[in-house]
Amino acid sequence: ISGIIFIILSVLPVRAWLVNAIPQNLKLGIAAGIGLFLGFIALKNAGIIVEHEATLVTLGNIVSFEAILFIIGFVLIVALSARRIMGAVIIGILLVTSIAGMFGKIDFNGIVAMPPSPAPVFLQLDIMAAFQWSMVTVVLSMLIIDVFDTAGTLIGVLTRANLLDDDGKLPRLRQALMSDSSATVVGALAGTSSTTSYIESAAGVAAGGRTGLTAVVCGLLFLGCLFFAPLAQSVPTYATASALLFVACLMARSLADLDHTDITESAPAIVTAIAMPLTFSIAEGIGLGFISYILIKLLSGRTADCSIATYIIGLIFTLKYVFL
């Protein structure tokens, strides 16, 4: 249901209007925030940072086998990238996986296997159960998160790929939104909702992917990977974490492009960047960034800096925090 509403918003000019209305400095903050978010995920997956009752997070066992391999993989990827060697990310992941395999530190489940039957989840929808008042907040929450997670991902990835136009707007935005919203519906029908764009796409951009052909080739390879799932599951999380931290370093550079001479522009962008990893959500980071942006502009007497769309997005998140 949220996916269908998502499609309607994508067909109408409303959503593209909202996304393109995001101020340029907030876009840079979103891109940097996604980078920090990726870095947080990477360090968490590698066991470098762990939970702590008093401080929420703390340093893990940095001399563990997994942490050392993670560091080796990260350093190797950065070094190979500095030398402009193609496939640096893949080389780093494969090397870490190979070393872990030699020491018997991976769960090897085989190479090839038939994909599991989709029958238990395919088209197994209880539509009528969703048409209850208790489900309204669930649907709206999924919709808001999907809409703004996608917006943040598009902005972050396109900023990193230098694909924004001269006005800082996203080119061919309607097609991108339709692709994402229709995937949400198809994913739900297949039993894997909610299907959406993912920030890890930045790894492909870092490797040189800049066109839709990259995504098409990845999609076809993923179909083939359905039969190689046991082999893919053998790759440890700390191996891919090395790649994520590398991409995080690339995306965090957007903070340097902020207009630091105007505190009313830079402060909300930095709030956005900090909030994403700490709330573990792109959408929540965008929400806190917009609310702080609007309040700062209002109290600074610079209401003209906020467009109508900016106020609308701020209102949407305010209502979400109050009622959802």
Side-chain angles (χ1 to χ4, degrees):
I1 292 173
S2 67
I4 291 172
I5 299 173
F6 197 174
I7 288 178
I8 295 172
L9 292 177
S10 299
V11 171
L12 298 174
V14 178
R15 191 175 174 219
W17 176 61
L18 289 174
V19 173
N20 278 325
I22 297 175
Q24 177 62 20
N25 281 286
L26 273 186
K27 288 179 179 176
L28 294 172
I30 289 170
I34 290 175
L36 297 177
F37 190 12
L38 282 173
F40 187 80
I41 294 172
L43 294 173
K44 171 180 171 291
N45 289 348
I48 299 294
I49 56 174
V50 294
E51 62 180 329
H52 190 279
E53 290 184 2
T55 60
L56 294 182
V57 293
T58 188
L59 183 66
N61 184 5
I62 200 170
V63 294
S64 67
F65 180 84
E66 293 79 6
I68 292 174
L69 278 188
F70 162 77
I71 295 170
I72 290 173
F74 171 68
V75 171
L76 178 64
I77 291 173
V78 173
L80 292 178
S81 178
R83 290 176 175 269
R84 301 185 181 279
I85 295 177
M86 290 294 294
V89 172
I90 297 297
I91 293 172
I93 293 174
L94 290 178
L95 178 66
V96 170
T97 303
S98 299
I99 296 174
M102 287 188 292
F103 284 88
K105 294 291 186 177
I106 63 173
D107 295 324
F108 183 71
N109 300 311
I111 299 177
V112 179
M114 288 297 295
S117 171
V121 292
F122 184 69
L123 297 180
Q124 301 299 311
L125 292 85
D126 189 353
I127 298 295
M128 296 310 298
F131 287 101
Q132 301 178 23
W133 282 112
S134 60
M135 292 297 293
V136 171
T137 56
V138 176
V139 172
L140 290 178
S141 294
M142 289 185 65
L143 176 64
I144 292 173
I145 291 171
D146 204 357
V147 167
F148 287 100
D149 262 9
T150 299
T153 300
L154 286 173
I155 291 169
V157 173
L158 291 181
T159 299
R160 175 67 192 93
N162 295 319
L163 291 177
L164 298 179
D165 63 21
D166 294 336
D167 297 323
K169 295 183 178 180
L170 284 68
R172 298 181 297 280
L173 179 58
R174 185 183 178 191
Q175 293 91 321
L177 297 180
M178 279 299 298
S179 174
D180 190 79
S181 57
S182 59
T184 300
V185 174
V186 173
L189 294 173
T192 61
S193 59
S194 174
T195 309
T196 184
S197 53
Y198 242 59
I199 50 177
E200 281 81 356
S201 299
V205 171
R210 290 173 55 86
T211 69
L213 182 60
T214 305
V216 172
V217 173
C218 285
L220 293 174
L221 291 175
F222 264 118
L223 287 175
C225 285
L226 287 174
F227 299 92
F228 292 91
L231 183 62
Q233 291 172 341
S234 301
V235 178
T237 55
Y238 49 85
T240 54
S242 301
L244 289 185
L245 185 58
F246 167 67
V247 176
C249 295
L250 298 179
M251 298 194 69
R253 294 187 302 188
S254 297
L255 286 175
D257 298 324
L258 290 176
D259 183 8
H260 292 284
T261 61
D262 186 349
I263 192 65
T264 67
E265 290 286 333
S266 61
I270 293 173
V271 167
T272 302
I274 295 174
M276 282 187 187
L278 296 184
T279 61
F280 220 76
S281 169
I282 295 174
E284 305 300 357
I286 293 175
L288 294 176
F290 261 94
I291 292 173
S292 63
Y293 185 87
I294 293 170
L295 291 177
I296 289 171
K297 291 293 185 180
L298 287 175
L299 294 177
S300 300
R302 297 173 55 176
T303 56
D305 290 352
C306 298
S307 64
I308 295 175
T310 302
Y311 285 117
I312 291 175
I313 295 175
L315 179 61
I316 290 172
F317 276 104
T318 301
L319 293 175
K320 173 183 180 295
Y321 294 138
V322 173
F323 296 107
L324 297 183

